[in-house]
Amino acid sequence: MIEDIIKIAKEAGEIVRNGFGKNLEIEFKTNESNLVTQIDKKSEAFITDFIQKKFPGHGVLGEEGASIKATSDYTWVVDPLDGTTNFAHGVPIFSVSIGVQKNGENVAGVIYDVMRDEAYSAELGGGAFCNNKKISVSQNEMMQRSLLVTGFPYDIADNPNNALDIFVQLVKVARGMRRLGSAALDMCYVAKGVFDGFWEVHLHPWDICAGMLIIKEAGGRTTDFKGAKMDIFNRQILSTNGKIHNQMLDIIDKCTTKK
Ligand code: IPD
Ligand code: CA
Ligand code: CA
């Protein structure tokens, strides 16, 4: 199955690449920060059509409305274009993210970095790869030597879950903090050992389904903000190399439990 997922992610990526820098039909979703273009929709329709033809009975949950109930054990969780704000503004950092769950467990995931032509992939128990080369998380144990990454949800003005307080505290103790604009790619960079940790609030299943498995298979750890196991529907995520996880949890905990 993984070869099929890589193939379809790359083909959807080609649709996205061909649309980059062209005339976009931009619509707003919940507010003027939350965009969708005709390319997001085209990519999702293409992926959904492929799944229905090749894997009839598999369910689909897609960001742009794809919702097919499974009549088998499998459901595909699809972000057809992760990083739409970058895409719409001409920043060449965006991806296609496809995760597959079997009875609610992440069993396969592919994230395709469209402009760098890099396909990150993982199957449960089989390790994590970038263009078929094995990848693993960093070995760094010190917050002061950590490069972290985060993103801001479209409702950041409401500061959900003290997101800005957490940002302020972490940016003070880490070596550096980045904001790439594609949560799926943020997670690939943790899996690859480029970043030591990633956290964000108010993400959706399609943002994290593939990334969670890729990080797990690369030797990393993902929990909610209390250190508990989480599923793709959780609205708080902390993914790290495992070594700085508890240190990040301590800082996050201070921000979320203070008055
Ligand atoms: C967004 C990106 C971004 C994150 C946002 C997401 P989208 O996804 O992953 O990095 O900070 O919270 O919603 O809307 O471009 O698919
Ligand atoms: Ca997304
Ligand atoms: Ca998206």
Side-chain angles (χ1 to χ4, degrees), residues 182-252:
S182 162
L185 284 180
D186 294 342
M187 296 180 81
C188 292
Y189 274 52
V190 172
K192 206 188 202 176
V194 172
F195 296 136
D196 305 288
F198 161 74
W199 64 276
E200 190 162 342
V201 302
H202 283 201
L203 287 174
H204 293 94
W206 40 83
D207 298 310
I208 58 175
C209 185
M212 280 175 69
L213 184 66
I214 292 169
I215 287 185
K216 176 179 172 167
E217 291 298 325
R221 180 176 170 202
T222 296
T223 68
D224 68 11
F225 286 178
K226 292 288 176 204
K229 192 171 178 288
M230 55 167 279
D231 64 26
I232 59 171
F233 296 95
N234 202 299
R235 307 305 303 276
Q236 308 172 332
I237 184 167
L238 173 64
S239 286
T240 71
N241 64 1
K243 311 223 180 257
I244 61 160
H245 205 90
N246 289 341
Q247 295 168 69
M248 285 188 74
L249 275 177
D250 281 349
I251 294 169
I252 290 172

Side-chain angles (χ1 to χ4, degrees), residues 40 63-64 79-84:
D40 300 61
E63 176 172 15
E64 306 314 334
D79 193 333
L81 201 181
D82 187 54
T84 297

Side-chain angles (χ1 to χ4, degrees), residues 29-226:
K29 289 161 109 180
T30 49
N31 59 36
E32 291 219 13
S33 300
N34 192 353
L35 312 178
V36 61
T37 73
Q38 80 274 29
I39 305 297
D40 300 61
K41 295 178 189 170
K42 199 170 164 189
S43 172
E44 183 164 297
F46 176 77
I47 296 166
T48 308
D49 186 57
F50 170 87
I51 298 165
Q52 284 186 294
K53 285 192 179 126
K54 180 96 197 233
F55 298 98
H58 287 204
V60 183
L61 173 64
E63 176 172 15
E64 306 314 334
S67 173
I68 298 168
K69 207 170 153 35
T71 54
S72 72
D73 295 339
Y74 294 91
T75 295
W76 296 52
V77 185
V78 177
D79 193 333
L81 201 181
D82 187 54
T84 297
T85 306
N86 281 347
F87 181 76
H89 282 261
V91 181
I93 303 174
F94 39 81
S95 60
V96 174
S97 177
I98 304 177
V100 178
Q101 291 202 315
K102 184 179 181 188
N103 295 321
E105 183 179 24
N106 299 332
V107 292
V110 172
I111 295 170
Y112 181 55
D113 183 336
V114 175
M115 299 310 277
R116 296 178 61 80
D117 188 26
E118 288 181 333
Y120 295 85
S121 62
E123 282 179 290
L124 185 60
F129 300 86
C130 176
N131 284 352
N132 297 320
K133 202 169 150 236
K134 206 165 185 336
I135 54 172
S136 53
V137 294
S138 69
Q139 291 302 310
N140 168 43
E141 296 181 353
M142 295 167 68
M143 279 304 293
Q144 307 92 294
R145 294 187 184 177
S146 297
L147 188 58
L148 306 180
V149 67
T150 189
F152 301 110
Y154 297 120
D155 57 355
I156 191 65
D158 300 327
N159 195 11
N161 304 112
N162 305 293
L164 290 169
D165 314 344
I166 299 170
F167 176 84
V168 167
Q169 295 311 318
L170 286 173
V171 79
K172 285 190 215 167
V173 293
R175 174 177 281 167
M177 178 80 80
R178 298 290 180 268
R179 197 284 195 243
L180 298 188
S182 162
L185 284 180
D186 294 342
M187 296 180 81
C188 292
Y189 274 52
V190 172
K192 206 188 202 176
V194 172
F195 296 136
D196 305 288
F198 161 74
W199 64 276
E200 190 162 342
V201 302
H202 283 201
L203 287 174
H204 293 94
W206 40 83
D207 298 310
I208 58 175
C209 185
M212 280 175 69
L213 184 66
I214 292 169
I215 287 185
K216 176 179 172 167
E217 291 298 325
R221 180 176 170 202
T222 296
T223 68
D224 68 11
F225 286 178
K226 292 288 176 204

